[in-house]
PDB file of all heavy atoms in Angstrom:
ATOM      1  N   LEU A 192       2.932  -0.144  14.962  1.00  0.00           N
ATOM      2  CA  LEU A 192       1.555   0.349  14.899  1.00  0.00           C
ATOM      3  C   LEU A 192       0.714  -0.424  13.879  1.00  0.00           C
ATOM      4  O   LEU A 192      -0.508  -0.394  13.936  1.00  0.00           O
ATOM      5  CB  LEU A 192       1.540   1.835  14.532  1.00  0.00           C
ATOM      6  CG  LEU A 192       2.193   2.793  15.520  1.00  0.00           C
ATOM      7  CD1 LEU A 192       2.252   4.190  14.927  1.00  0.00           C
ATOM      8  CD2 LEU A 192       1.448   2.797  16.835  1.00  0.00           C
ATOM      9  N   LEU A 193       1.388  -1.101  12.957  1.00  0.00           N
ATOM     10  CA  LEU A 193       0.685  -1.821  11.896  1.00  0.00           C
ATOM     11  C   LEU A 193       0.270  -3.206  12.377  1.00  0.00           C
ATOM     12  O   LEU A 193       1.060  -3.908  13.007  1.00  0.00           O
ATOM     13  CB  LEU A 193       1.588  -1.977  10.664  1.00  0.00           C
ATOM     14  CG  LEU A 193       2.091  -0.691  10.020  1.00  0.00           C
ATOM     15  CD1 LEU A 193       3.102  -1.016   8.929  1.00  0.00           C
ATOM     16  CD2 LEU A 193       0.946   0.116   9.467  1.00  0.00           C
ATOM     17  N   PRO A 194      -0.951  -3.636  12.057  1.00  0.00           N
ATOM     18  CA  PRO A 194      -1.358  -5.003  12.403  1.00  0.00           C
ATOM     19  C   PRO A 194      -0.642  -6.013  11.511  1.00  0.00           C
ATOM     20  O   PRO A 194      -0.110  -5.665  10.458  1.00  0.00           O
ATOM     21  CB  PRO A 194      -2.863  -5.004  12.155  1.00  0.00           C
ATOM     22  CG  PRO A 194      -3.095  -3.904  11.194  1.00  0.00           C
ATOM     23  CD  PRO A 194      -2.028  -2.876  11.438  1.00  0.00           C
ATOM     24  N   TRP A 196      -1.692  -8.232   9.465  1.00  0.00           N
ATOM     25  CA  TRP A 196      -2.176  -8.435   8.102  1.00  0.00           C
ATOM     26  C   TRP A 196      -1.684  -7.339   7.167  1.00  0.00           C
ATOM     27  O   TRP A 196      -1.436  -7.598   5.991  1.00  0.00           O
ATOM     28  CB  TRP A 196      -3.695  -8.592   8.068  1.00  0.00           C
ATOM     29  CG  TRP A 196      -4.488  -7.471   8.666  1.00  0.00           C
ATOM     30  CD1 TRP A 196      -4.823  -7.311   9.980  1.00  0.00           C
ATOM     31  CD2 TRP A 196      -5.050  -6.357   7.978  1.00  0.00           C
ATOM     32  NE1 TRP A 196      -5.562  -6.161  10.146  1.00  0.00           N
ATOM     33  CE2 TRP A 196      -5.717  -5.561   8.931  1.00  0.00           C
ATOM     34  CE3 TRP A 196      -5.062  -5.955   6.640  1.00  0.00           C
ATOM     35  CZ2 TRP A 196      -6.378  -4.389   8.592  1.00  0.00           C
ATOM     36  CZ3 TRP A 196      -5.728  -4.791   6.307  1.00  0.00           C
ATOM     37  CH2 TRP A 196      -6.373  -4.026   7.270  1.00  0.00           C
ATOM     38  N   ILE A 197      -1.503  -6.121   7.663  1.00  0.00           N
ATOM     39  CA  ILE A 197      -0.937  -5.062   6.814  1.00  0.00           C
ATOM     40  C   ILE A 197       0.548  -5.341   6.587  1.00  0.00           C
ATOM     41  O   ILE A 197       1.056  -5.145   5.480  1.00  0.00           O
ATOM     42  CB  ILE A 197      -1.170  -3.664   7.427  1.00  0.00           C
ATOM     43  CG1 ILE A 197      -2.653  -3.299   7.346  1.00  0.00           C
ATOM     44  CG2 ILE A 197      -0.324  -2.609   6.708  1.00  0.00           C
ATOM     45  CD1 ILE A 197      -3.000  -1.933   7.901  1.00  0.00           C
ATOM     46  N   ILE A 266       1.486   7.093   5.566  1.00  0.00           N
ATOM     47  CA  ILE A 266       0.044   7.015   5.806  1.00  0.00           C
ATOM     48  C   ILE A 266      -0.715   7.713   4.678  1.00  0.00           C
ATOM     49  O   ILE A 266      -1.714   7.192   4.173  1.00  0.00           O
ATOM     50  CB  ILE A 266      -0.323   7.625   7.178  1.00  0.00           C
ATOM     51  CG1 ILE A 266       0.369   6.859   8.308  1.00  0.00           C
ATOM     52  CG2 ILE A 266      -1.832   7.651   7.371  1.00  0.00           C
ATOM     53  CD1 ILE A 266      -0.075   5.431   8.478  1.00  0.00           C
ATOM     54  N   LEU A 305      -9.676  -3.412   1.360  1.00  0.00           N
ATOM     55  CA  LEU A 305      -9.273  -2.021   1.169  1.00  0.00           C
ATOM     56  C   LEU A 305      -9.940  -1.085   2.173  1.00  0.00           C
ATOM     57  O   LEU A 305      -9.313  -0.132   2.648  1.00  0.00           O
ATOM     58  CB  LEU A 305      -9.578  -1.561  -0.258  1.00  0.00           C
ATOM     59  CG  LEU A 305      -8.676  -2.140  -1.338  1.00  0.00           C
ATOM     60  CD1 LEU A 305      -9.247  -1.871  -2.716  1.00  0.00           C
ATOM     61  CD2 LEU A 305      -7.273  -1.575  -1.212  1.00  0.00           C
ATOM     62  N   ILE A 306     -11.175  -1.346   2.505  1.00  0.00           N
ATOM     63  CA  ILE A 306     -11.881  -0.471   3.451  1.00  0.00           C
ATOM     64  C   ILE A 306     -11.293  -0.585   4.860  1.00  0.00           C
ATOM     65  O   ILE A 306     -10.984   0.442   5.475  1.00  0.00           O
ATOM     66  CB  ILE A 306     -13.402  -0.739   3.410  1.00  0.00           C
ATOM     67  CG1 ILE A 306     -13.939  -0.306   2.047  1.00  0.00           C
ATOM     68  CG2 ILE A 306     -14.127  -0.025   4.538  1.00  0.00           C
ATOM     69  CD1 ILE A 306     -15.353  -0.729   1.759  1.00  0.00           C
ATOM     70  N   PRO A 307     -11.078  -1.803   5.401  1.00  0.00           N
ATOM     71  CA  PRO A 307     -10.417  -1.875   6.720  1.00  0.00           C
ATOM     72  C   PRO A 307      -8.986  -1.339   6.695  1.00  0.00           C
ATOM     73  O   PRO A 307      -8.509  -0.768   7.680  1.00  0.00           O
ATOM     74  CB  PRO A 307     -10.421  -3.369   7.059  1.00  0.00           C
ATOM     75  CG  PRO A 307     -11.446  -3.971   6.204  1.00  0.00           C
ATOM     76  CD  PRO A 307     -11.557  -3.112   4.982  1.00  0.00           C
ATOM     77  N   TYR A 308      -8.307  -1.499   5.563  1.00  0.00           N
ATOM     78  CA  TYR A 308      -6.957  -0.957   5.411  1.00  0.00           C
ATOM     79  C   TYR A 308      -6.980   0.567   5.563  1.00  0.00           C
ATOM     80  O   TYR A 308      -6.198   1.144   6.313  1.00  0.00           O
ATOM     81  CB  TYR A 308      -6.421  -1.386   4.044  1.00  0.00           C
ATOM     82  CG  TYR A 308      -5.133  -0.750   3.586  1.00  0.00           C
ATOM     83  CD1 TYR A 308      -3.948  -0.907   4.294  1.00  0.00           C
ATOM     84  CD2 TYR A 308      -5.086  -0.017   2.404  1.00  0.00           C
ATOM     85  CE1 TYR A 308      -2.770  -0.342   3.848  1.00  0.00           C
ATOM     86  CE2 TYR A 308      -3.909   0.540   1.949  1.00  0.00           C
ATOM     87  CZ  TYR A 308      -2.763   0.372   2.673  1.00  0.00           C
ATOM     88  OH  TYR A 308      -1.590   0.936   2.221  1.00  0.00           O
ATOM     89  N   TYR A 309      -7.912   1.206   4.863  1.00  0.00           N
ATOM     90  CA  TYR A 309      -8.038   2.658   4.966  1.00  0.00           C
ATOM     91  C   TYR A 309      -8.391   3.077   6.393  1.00  0.00           C
ATOM     92  O   TYR A 309      -7.819   4.020   6.937  1.00  0.00           O
ATOM     93  CB  TYR A 309      -9.104   3.179   3.994  1.00  0.00           C
ATOM     94  CG  TYR A 309      -9.277   4.669   4.055  1.00  0.00           C
ATOM     95  CD1 TYR A 309      -8.451   5.497   3.307  1.00  0.00           C
ATOM     96  CD2 TYR A 309     -10.227   5.261   4.881  1.00  0.00           C
ATOM     97  CE1 TYR A 309      -8.580   6.874   3.369  1.00  0.00           C
ATOM     98  CE2 TYR A 309     -10.356   6.630   4.955  1.00  0.00           C
ATOM     99  CZ  TYR A 309      -9.533   7.430   4.200  1.00  0.00           C
ATOM    100  OH  TYR A 309      -9.656   8.792   4.280  1.00  0.00           O
ATOM    101  N   ARG A 310      -9.345   2.382   6.995  1.00  0.00           N
ATOM    102  CA  ARG A 310      -9.777   2.725   8.357  1.00  0.00           C
ATOM    103  C   ARG A 310      -8.641   2.562   9.362  1.00  0.00           C
ATOM    104  O   ARG A 310      -8.487   3.391  10.258  1.00  0.00           O
ATOM    105  CB  ARG A 310     -10.983   1.884   8.760  1.00  0.00           C
ATOM    106  CG  ARG A 310     -12.212   2.254   7.919  1.00  0.00           C
ATOM    107  CD  ARG A 310     -13.451   1.596   8.387  1.00  0.00           C
ATOM    108  NE  ARG A 310     -13.804   2.220   9.678  1.00  0.00           N
ATOM    109  CZ  ARG A 310     -14.600   1.659  10.556  1.00  0.00           C
ATOM    110  NH1 ARG A 310     -15.119   0.481  10.310  1.00  0.00           N
ATOM    111  NH2 ARG A 310     -14.884   2.266  11.684  1.00  0.00           N
ATOM    112  N   LYS A 311      -7.825   1.507   9.212  1.00  0.00           N
ATOM    113  CA  LYS A 311      -6.700   1.299  10.130  1.00  0.00           C
ATOM    114  C   LYS A 311      -5.651   2.389   9.942  1.00  0.00           C
ATOM    115  O   LYS A 311      -5.107   2.907  10.924  1.00  0.00           O
ATOM    116  CB  LYS A 311      -6.088  -0.092   9.910  1.00  0.00           C
ATOM    117  CG  LYS A 311      -4.971  -0.407  10.871  1.00  0.00           C
ATOM    118  CD  LYS A 311      -5.473  -0.417  12.304  1.00  0.00           C
ATOM    119  CE  LYS A 311      -4.361  -0.769  13.267  1.00  0.00           C
ATOM    120  NZ  LYS A 311      -4.808  -0.766  14.659  1.00  0.00           N
ATOM    121  N   LEU A 312      -5.371   2.763   8.696  1.00  0.00           N
ATOM    122  CA  LEU A 312      -4.416   3.851   8.451  1.00  0.00           C
ATOM    123  C   LEU A 312      -4.925   5.154   9.036  1.00  0.00           C
ATOM    124  O   LEU A 312      -4.156   5.935   9.605  1.00  0.00           O
ATOM    125  CB  LEU A 312      -4.142   4.006   6.956  1.00  0.00           C
ATOM    126  CG  LEU A 312      -3.368   2.883   6.276  1.00  0.00           C
ATOM    127  CD1 LEU A 312      -3.202   3.182   4.799  1.00  0.00           C
ATOM    128  CD2 LEU A 312      -2.030   2.639   6.934  1.00  0.00           C
ATOM    129  N   ASN A 313      -6.209   5.394   8.897  1.00  0.00           N
ATOM    130  CA  ASN A 313      -6.806   6.600   9.450  1.00  0.00           C
ATOM    131  C   ASN A 313      -6.690   6.604  10.977  1.00  0.00           C
ATOM    132  O   ASN A 313      -6.441   7.640  11.590  1.00  0.00           O
ATOM    133  CB  ASN A 313      -8.266   6.703   9.018  1.00  0.00           C
ATOM    134  CG  ASN A 313      -8.789   8.105   9.111  1.00  0.00           C
ATOM    135  OD1 ASN A 313      -8.068   9.063   8.882  1.00  0.00           O
ATOM    136  ND2 ASN A 313     -10.056   8.218   9.457  1.00  0.00           N
ATOM    137  N   LYS A 314      -6.862   5.443  11.586  1.00  0.00           N
ATOM    138  CA  LYS A 314      -6.816   5.324  13.038  1.00  0.00           C
ATOM    139  C   LYS A 314      -5.408   5.554  13.604  1.00  0.00           C
ATOM    140  O   LYS A 314      -5.257   6.157  14.661  1.00  0.00           O
ATOM    141  CB  LYS A 314      -7.314   3.931  13.446  1.00  0.00           C
ATOM    142  CG  LYS A 314      -7.439   3.722  14.920  1.00  0.00           C
ATOM    143  CD  LYS A 314      -8.009   2.340  15.209  1.00  0.00           C
ATOM    144  CE  LYS A 314      -8.127   2.105  16.692  1.00  0.00           C
ATOM    145  NZ  LYS A 314      -8.660   0.765  16.987  1.00  0.00           N
ATOM    146  N   ILE A 315      -4.386   5.096  12.900  1.00  0.00           N
ATOM    147  CA  ILE A 315      -3.013   5.224  13.419  1.00  0.00           C
ATOM    148  C   ILE A 315      -2.284   6.460  12.905  1.00  0.00           C
ATOM    149  O   ILE A 315      -1.150   6.711  13.293  1.00  0.00           O
ATOM    150  CB  ILE A 315      -2.167   3.966  13.114  1.00  0.00           C
ATOM    151  CG1 ILE A 315      -1.941   3.798  11.608  1.00  0.00           C
ATOM    152  CG2 ILE A 315      -2.771   2.742  13.754  1.00  0.00           C
ATOM    153  CD1 ILE A 315      -0.963   2.703  11.261  1.00  0.00           C
ATOM    154  N   GLU A 316      -2.939   7.255  12.066  1.00  0.00           N
ATOM    155  CA  GLU A 316      -2.272   8.397  11.437  1.00  0.00           C
ATOM    156  C   GLU A 316      -1.704   9.385  12.454  1.00  0.00           C
ATOM    157  O   GLU A 316      -0.551   9.813  12.340  1.00  0.00           O
ATOM    158  CB  GLU A 316      -3.240   9.118  10.506  1.00  0.00           C
ATOM    159  CG  GLU A 316      -2.619  10.291   9.783  1.00  0.00           C
ATOM    160  CD  GLU A 316      -3.566  10.919   8.790  1.00  0.00           C
ATOM    161  OE1 GLU A 316      -4.793  10.768   8.920  1.00  0.00           O
ATOM    162  OE2 GLU A 316      -3.058  11.574   7.863  1.00  0.00           O
TER     163      GLU A 316
END
Side-chain angles (χ1 to χ4, degrees):
L192 297 173
L193 300 173
W196 56 274
I197 290 181
I266 299 295
L305 288 167
I306 293 169
Y308 170 61
Y309 180 85
R310 293 188 70 200
K311 183 62 178 179
L312 291 179
N313 201 34
K314 185 177 179 181
I315 66 172
E316 182 176 23

